[in-house]
Amino acid sequence: MSDVKTSQKSVRQVEIEILRYNPDTDEKPYFQTYQVPCQEEWVILDAVNYIKDNLDRSLSYRWSCHMAVCGSCGMMVNGEPTLSCHAFVRDMPDKITIEPLENFPIARDLIVDMDGFVEKLSSVKPYINAAEEKTVEQGTYQQLPEQLQLYKQYTQCINCMLCYSACPQMALNDGFVGPAALALAHRYNLDSRDKGREVREDVVASNAGIWECSFVGACSEVCPKHVDPAAAIQQTKIAATGDYFKKFLMPWKNAQKGQAPEGGDQ
Amino acid sequence: MNVKLPLKASNKPIIWSLFAAGGTVTALLFPALILLFALAVPFGLLPAELFSYDRIQGMLDNTFIKLIVFALLFLSIWHAAHRMRITAHDFGIRADGFIAFLFYSIALLATILLVIALF
Ligand code: SF4
């Protein structure tokens, strides 16, 4: 920014069309167009910030870290669920359309209502359900690096909700527990310290869980953290199928299910 | 966007395990069959007599082989039926009951024909 001359050389005029909606005054969402002089090194979020700072202070959207860690700046950019801090303007055409994340109710402008998402995340009991609670005196739960490696990938989720916007099943059935929550359940199921798989199966293997997934794989394609929720769901299907048949072959095991540990935040 | 309660335990594992097994079989078996019958023989890489009617027929006289062929084709058929049902769903066709009935009926018919042909 200090060297105005060099930065001006690489400025490109981009027409940015943003879906606006104010629940207090607007009946329906509508598009508003802005002309933005974009710098070579800008990401989409910089362009949106420019609009907010210079063109239209009423524009509402979420962002925080500007480095693909907080997961709050997800938007539809030219129809693709995108982390707006993670996509360069220079890779885009001269006209860019930005909309709030698909498959979520719009709260205002680019801000979507995430209550349902949070509810889904917590529905899979995403915390260690240890076989027995240890007191501080009893020490820590031990884990080997190989055991950590098993699930580490699934801990990388930043709750950006891009996968929910990309998922065609989500669009057809908004009760579907969805990719991120199921990947999170898998993360705990794979954790050697955890014994809560059967408790999670009440949601995970239910009519709203893994079986709604038809393995389109769009979630894994858009995920900025390479969590690969589609793989998590397929692996969960295999495990849940095993558990399902075990229930018939070993009915005496079912009785124990009710007493499965319920640790965490209760 | 909320989870709709109450949740029911799903019976999908029954269909899905057949589907998954069928998918594995289909992915491994059919490329080999295509390679043998549709490429190797027509291009003269393998002698056609190798797959002559009499030879294959003779092979299928063995009940054990019959059972294996039945298992492989049975799984492939049900895999295809379920795949079509999901594809219909992915295309947004919401008549799942009818679609399921249609494709599973075709699969059942194919299975019956398979049994008649084999045994
Ligand atoms: S799984 Fe990936 S796309 Fe989905 S919320 Fe987590 S980080 Fe975002």
Side-chain angles (χ1 to χ4, degrees), chain A residues 2-211:
Chain A
S2 53
D3 190 347
V4 177
K5 261 183 214 145
T6 36
S7 59
Q8 265 179 356
K9 242 187 251 163
S10 51
V11 162
R12 177 170 67 120
Q13 279 294 322
V14 178
E15 188 178 309
I16 298 188
E17 193 184 41
I18 298 186
L19 196 70
R20 304 294 311 270
Y21 177 64
N22 178 345
D24 297 330
T25 53
D26 303 330
E27 224 167 83
K28 274 196 310 214
Y30 61 95
F31 279 105
Q32 194 165 345
T33 307
Y34 304 93
Q35 303 295 334
V36 184
C38 291
Q39 316 250 357
E40 167 77 14
E41 66 278 10
W42 276 11
V43 288
I44 297 287
L45 180 60
D46 294 315
V48 177
N49 282 342
Y50 180 92
I51 296 172
K52 175 92 176 170
D53 293 343
N54 301 289
L55 305 176
D56 189 343
R57 294 168 116 201
S58 70
L59 182 65
S60 304
Y61 55 101
R62 288 192 181 106
W63 73 286
S64 175
C65 75
H66 199 287
M67 51 192 281
V69 169
C70 75
S72 51
C73 69
M75 338 179 152
M76 304 298 292
V77 178
N78 287 340
E80 282 282 320
T82 308
L83 217 48
S84 60
C85 68
H86 203 235
F88 284 107
V89 178
R90 61 170 176 258
D91 300 331
M92 306 266 165
D94 290 337
K95 187 165 185 279
I96 299 173
T97 305
I98 302 179
E99 294 155 282
L101 282 179
E102 238 160 58
N103 300 338
F104 291 94
I106 306 178
R108 187 189 183 108
D109 293 343
L110 298 175
I111 297 176
V112 295
D113 173 2
M114 17 183 334
D115 289 356
F117 175 73
V118 174
E119 188 196 317
K120 285 171 184 180
L121 283 185
S122 44
S123 76
V124 301
K125 305 194 171 65
Y127 36 77
I128 303 257
N129 286 252
E132 49 188 296
E133 292 288 324
K134 278 191 177 180
T135 61
V136 177
E137 292 73 46
Q138 283 170 305
T140 51
Y141 297 95
Q142 309 266 310
Q143 188 164 58
L144 295 168
E146 303 90 84
Q147 292 172 318
L148 170 67
Q149 220 45 48
L150 263 185
Y151 67 84
K152 190 156 180 236
Q153 167 191 6
Y154 302 114
T155 66
Q156 303 295 308
C157 174
I158 54 174
N159 298 336
C160 66
M161 313 193 291
L162 297 194
C163 50
Y164 283 64
S165 286
C167 174
Q169 303 312 328
M170 210 71 235
L172 293 169
N173 167 16
D174 70 2
F176 176 32
V177 175
L182 292 171
L184 187 61
H186 191 52
R187 172 249 174 278
Y188 284 98
N189 289 344
L190 290 180
D191 192 317
S192 59
R193 299 162 296 179
D194 181 90
K195 295 283 171 288
R197 186 165 96 212
E198 287 200 53
V199 186
R200 285 186 199 101
E201 270 176 1
D202 289 349
V203 173
V204 167
S206 75
N207 56 336
I210 43 175
W211 305 114

